[in-house]
Amino acid sequence: DLGGGILSSTAANPGKDYFLVCGSAKNDASDLSADGTPGGGADVIVAAVSASDGTVLWAHLFGGAMDQKCTAAALDDSGNAYFTGTYAGTLNFGNGALTPAPTGAGDAIAWVAKLKGTDGTLLAAKSLGTAGIVAPSALSLDPQGALLMAGQFNSDVTFGTQLLATSGGGKAGGSDGFVAKLDSSSLTPVWARSLAAQPGNNV
């Protein structure tokens, strides 16, 4: 019971005996024995689950006013857990509040966090974007262990020092796509590319 929330993504690694789940909760996620206090609206829920018997190993709830959601997860060979999603308003993973997100109707920017897979200890967290919608939908790891992210954006967004400008080619209110590579230790963007929408469409 997540109060109308949803578990929206899973991630596993062949070398680990647990997997990750994430999504959003609109209550205290007590069925997952999550720690954290509901912030109102939808809150980020992340958890690790034993692959052998389904026992919840740990679960955390992060949120503030407005909506915060997790949309994708990844698990590396060392057992580090990576999560990403969107947030409006405020979001704090325990190491200080991320950049305040826009509060306009439908607006939400991206966050990415790294946790220790064995116990859920926070290792790093960052925000991406300052306005409009920056919505990651996928995470993966390359053979060297770098973090790869893909998603959509409808307002200019900077990844590190690299500006991705909207193309203007999408339909009204539409969005372009992006792919980005992040350092898996610091979550600092290494590079990013935009995928422009064709006129009248979204990417």
Side-chain angles (χ1 to χ4, degrees):
D1 177 16
L2 296 175
I6 186 173
L7 293 178
S8 57
S9 185
T10 63
N13 185 300
K16 302 302 171 187
D17 60 358
Y18 58 90
F19 62 94
L20 308 175
V21 295
C22 81
S24 62
K26 295 185 178 181
N27 58 13
D28 61 5
S30 60
D31 283 354
L32 291 174
S33 300
D35 58 20
T37 303
D43 298 318
V44 170
I45 181 72
V46 296
V49 179
S50 168
S52 60
D53 62 9
T55 300
V56 177
L57 304 178
W58 55 262
H60 299 320
L61 188 68
F62 302 103
M66 308 188 73
D67 287 344
Q68 300 82 35
K69 301 176 181 180
C70 181
T71 54
L75 182 62
D76 71 14
D77 291 343
S78 298
N80 295 307
Y82 302 88
F83 299 98
T84 190
T86 59
Y87 73 106
T90 60
L91 182 58
N92 190 335
F93 287 95
N95 64 343
L98 299 181
T99 302
T103 57
D107 287 350
I109 61 174
W111 61 266
V112 58
K114 178 181 180 180
L115 286 72
K116 188 180 296 185
T118 52
D119 60 14
T121 300
L122 179 71
L123 300 175
K126 286 189 178 296
S127 61
L128 297 165
T130 58
I133 296 173
V134 183
S137 56
L139 276 182
S140 187
L141 293 148
D142 72 10
Q144 289 72 44
L147 191 64
L148 305 175
M149 176 189 293
Q152 296 178 314
F153 70 107
N154 72 354
S155 181
D156 293 357
V157 56
T158 299
F159 287 82
T161 60
Q162 188 172 353
L163 174 67
L164 296 187
T166 53
S167 68
K171 60 186 178 183
S175 58
D176 295 326
F178 73 84
V179 292
K181 178 179 179 179
L182 282 66
D183 180 272
S184 59
S185 296
S186 64
L187 304 182
T188 301
V190 177
W191 56 256
R193 301 287 187 272
S194 61
L195 305 170
Q198 294 296 316
N201 296 286
N202 292 327
V203 170

